Amino acid sequence: MALTTNKNVLTWLDEMVALTKPANVVWIDGSEAQLKALREEAIATGEMEELNQEELPGCLLHRTKKNDVARVEDRTFICTKEKEDVGPINNWMETSAMKAKLSPMYDGVMAGRTMYVIPYCMGPLGSPFSKVGVELTDSIYVVLNMDIMTRMGQGALDQLGPDSNDFVRGLHSKANVEEENRYIVHFPEENTIWSINSAYGGNVLLGKKCFALRIASYQGYKEGWMAEHMLILGIEDPKGNVDYITAAFPSACGKTNLAMLIPPAIYKDAGYKVWTVGDDIAWMHIDPDDGKLYAINPEAGFFGVAPGTNAKSNYNALMSTKKNTIFTNVCHNMDNNTVWWEGLDKNPPVDAVEWTGNKVNGKEYAAEGGKLAHPNSRFTAPAINCPCLSKEFNNPKGVPVTAILFGGRRAKTAPLVYQSFNWTHGVFVGSAMASETTAAATGAVGVVRRDPMAMRPFCGYNMGDYFGHWLEMGEKLGDKAPKIFNVNWFRTDAEGHFIWPGFGDNMRVLMWMLERCKGNVDAVETPIGYVPYAKDIDVTGLEDITTETVEDLLSVDKELWLEDAAGVAELYAMFGARMPKALAKELDDQVARLKA
Ligand code: OXD
Ligand code: MN
């Protein structure tokens, strides 16, 4: 039975049922009884495996097909009436042409299957900034993941109300998981997402990248707010005041680790605490009362990369996975029916099933260089499991943002940290973001991929307009605008080793930023922005780092920066008339300062 009388939902649902022709339609109400039955069904059919319920209560294991393990940028489309509105970075097809192409693939695709109707809310229930989606899917795996990642069920329909048409229409079918027919398609002008032939999280949990970034970035542009690929964390001082920072890094640059960092002893002993609001996405609005920028995390869980996660690198993330978590493509530890991944510890299980489902001697397999877990294997963990979850996590208003942070993986160019001169220069810094690929990922070290604001794969409209929107938000915020910084944890020495220890010690850099925001500390004016005096980054307790090392980490090589400017100019040229002049001027000014 339908859980809503909302005609906009029901009419669309009827159309999609007529198209996909499922054997039956099941509304997901979010009740524990219904979820329990779905878990049991998934276990009975072998879609999921139940893990050791004493060690990992409520936890399940799932394997995707080998051809379906990551987001597929080349098969991701933004469809609009006009190509110009999508710009040069996204794949585009005209809306009706794409529908004509995909409709035959959806025709009857759910025959003999159940269609699950998932109402879900992105953001806290009751928040004026939250938005509702409805995802139709033929995958129980999707239902169980959406339960963790969103506020799913009746509450979402209550948030939508009986008459509103402001919901995102998501249609997903795993179909036969055919790589050559895989499409992840967004119609921002129609609040619609169509995903077919994948069952991998980033392509099928439509609330996450598809809605909360691609569709929402466009909604934010139209409605005057921002949807960003950013973590949100709070730093509480010993008096109990909390400052919030949002930070954008490209995928796999440590957002989850920074969001959940554990303060080093110098701060912990002094009474500082770090709180996690979000690890991947921030929706930010200007508060009509105080004029400041506030952020909510639209998600309710973490879809984190498992390999590399351990008690030292990210204790809080590891703890978050200890119950009610879904593991995807990790290694099944048959010694005790738990899970394992590279970097969890140094003891791969002997009796193991590697991520594609083969039984192996894990110790031997790993010793020969085999990967027991897929490098992009994931945990889907409820945020409420996180020991450092902020008590503001469900605050409908969100949290006020003191500082915005950009960053990437740069072996040489970017210093450990610098502050932009002002908002417009900060937008320039974000637009110029880039990250270097590692040998492990591509075979070619140091290939620079420009990834403005870490939104390259996630911006749902023309990125030139997106830059313009950032500038406009700054104008509205005026002197209430958060300060903008850039960080780089990844500088390497002559042997290619990371110089900065990273992880919890990154807090030392965040503390300098907060001091800057409060006007408590001076900085050196360089051509690229304000750089700290080395003495102002507190390295107490760090064995291998001296003030000289910090000086080195903060150095600005003008030649490298001029080379980088050429890359930025190339990027800007792609946007033609849509590129805001103010940013082109920032680039020219920076080049002039570097040459001076
Ligand atoms: C990503 C992710 O790919 O968060 O950015 O999964
Ligand atoms: Mn991400």
Side-chain angles (χ1 to χ4, degrees), residues 71 200 208-209 229 250-252 255 280 303 378 458:
R71 288 186 289 101
Y200 165 76
K208 192 175 178 66
K209 302 297 188 183
H229 192 200
S251 304
K255 283 210 307 297
D280 195 41
F303 184 62
R378 298 279 178 152
F458 306 119

Side-chain angles (χ1 to χ4, degrees), residues 541-552:
L542 282 182
E543 273 176 23
D544 300 327
I545 306 280
T546 61
T547 304
E548 285 80 67
T549 331
V550 175
E551 238 155 51
D552 184 38

